Amino acid sequence: MTRNILILGGDGIGPETVAEAEKVLGALVSRFGLDVAVDHALVGGAAIDVIGMPLPEETLDKALASDAVLFGAIGGPKWDGIDRALRPERGLLALRSKLGLFANLRPVTAHPALAQASTMKPEVIAGLNIMIVRELTGGIYFGEPRGFVTSANGVREGFNTLRYNVTEIERIARVAFEIAATRRCQVCSVDKANVLEVSELWREVVESVARSYPAITLRHMYVDNAAMQLVRDPKQFDVIVTDNMFGDILSDLASMLGGSIGMLPSASLDAHGRGLYEPIHGSAPDIAGRDLANPLAAILSLAMLLRHSLREHGWAEQVEQAVGAVLDAGLRTADIAGSGGRRIGTREMGDAVVRELLAQAGK
Ligand code: IPM
Ligand code: MG
């Protein structure tokens, strides 16, 4: 059965990095007979420029009809001035919400060859392997009411609402426990239960879900402490589960442990295996279009797509191994050049991964 993949390049370095992932996918199709059909559509600023909105209906329809979405990045200074409701970021948030992508998986690993590229001491990060499970369709990002008001004395106020119900907490907790069961069986739930009622509920519900997973060790940590512990001793973590905004912040922090944000993929999943896969690096407009961006996060996002939505575990591993081999061979884009090796551009990096993939399979 042919599986449908929608590719949304978006803005900034999005299109050029997903193009390299598409090259890798193309090799799997043409050289190894993987049965997928690829389509493209506009999102973010690119869609605003052409259609006037960040998530055109056609794009949403195509995404709803696909088995998985491979996403680049969105946003940039060009669209910063426009109305909040029409910003590029809204396109991504609407996609997450409309596709029901409540579970965001952000793996953080430190490839040994990149230890020198990290600002951390090599012994602190060697062997690092954390999975951040971020709730993605609730919390303060989506909570109502929200908006601006002017009080009786004429002072303007902006406000948002942080709320979670039991069902939302239960399902993200379950995802975290299931993943932990395939790893080192430890879950750290991150909240702010010393201050927030919503965190108190979060803790209670995570505890109750934990009762169905006796093999998993659960602990709780306040978010400020978690930020500190991630820098002090990141290897103490296996799976971290947390809410939408805490996960946003902690995942950027954690991304630098491994050396470069340019290396990290992510998966955003619904309840049935459909997913949106994106590098977490964002649109980086300052280096866009200059063949400087690191495409490995996009290629590793493709590996996650193969694993989680297409259930092609073998190919997912092959792609990850090819990325590892290219790094071992000393090939480096600018962001990871601090670790030595030979400096190459975006396209050459994509070509190198394809070559490695073919070599692994003896082609
Ligand atoms: C992320 C990004 C997004 C978020 C932005 C672009 C809306 O920072 O995926 O982490 O805040 O979720
Ligand atoms: Mg973020």
Side-chain angles (χ1 to χ4, degrees), residues 96 106 134 141 247-249 251-252 280:
R96 289 173 178 171
R106 298 190 162 186
R134 168 189 176 194
Y141 273 49
D248 179 44
I249 299 167
S251 61
D252 263 30
I280 83 161

Side-chain angles (χ1 to χ4, degrees), residues 118-134:
S118 177
T119 51
M120 309 286 287
K121 289 187 189 136
E123 65 269 25
V124 174
I125 55 162
L128 180 71
N129 187 343
I130 303 174
M131 178 65 86
I132 298 180
V133 178
R134 168 189 176 194

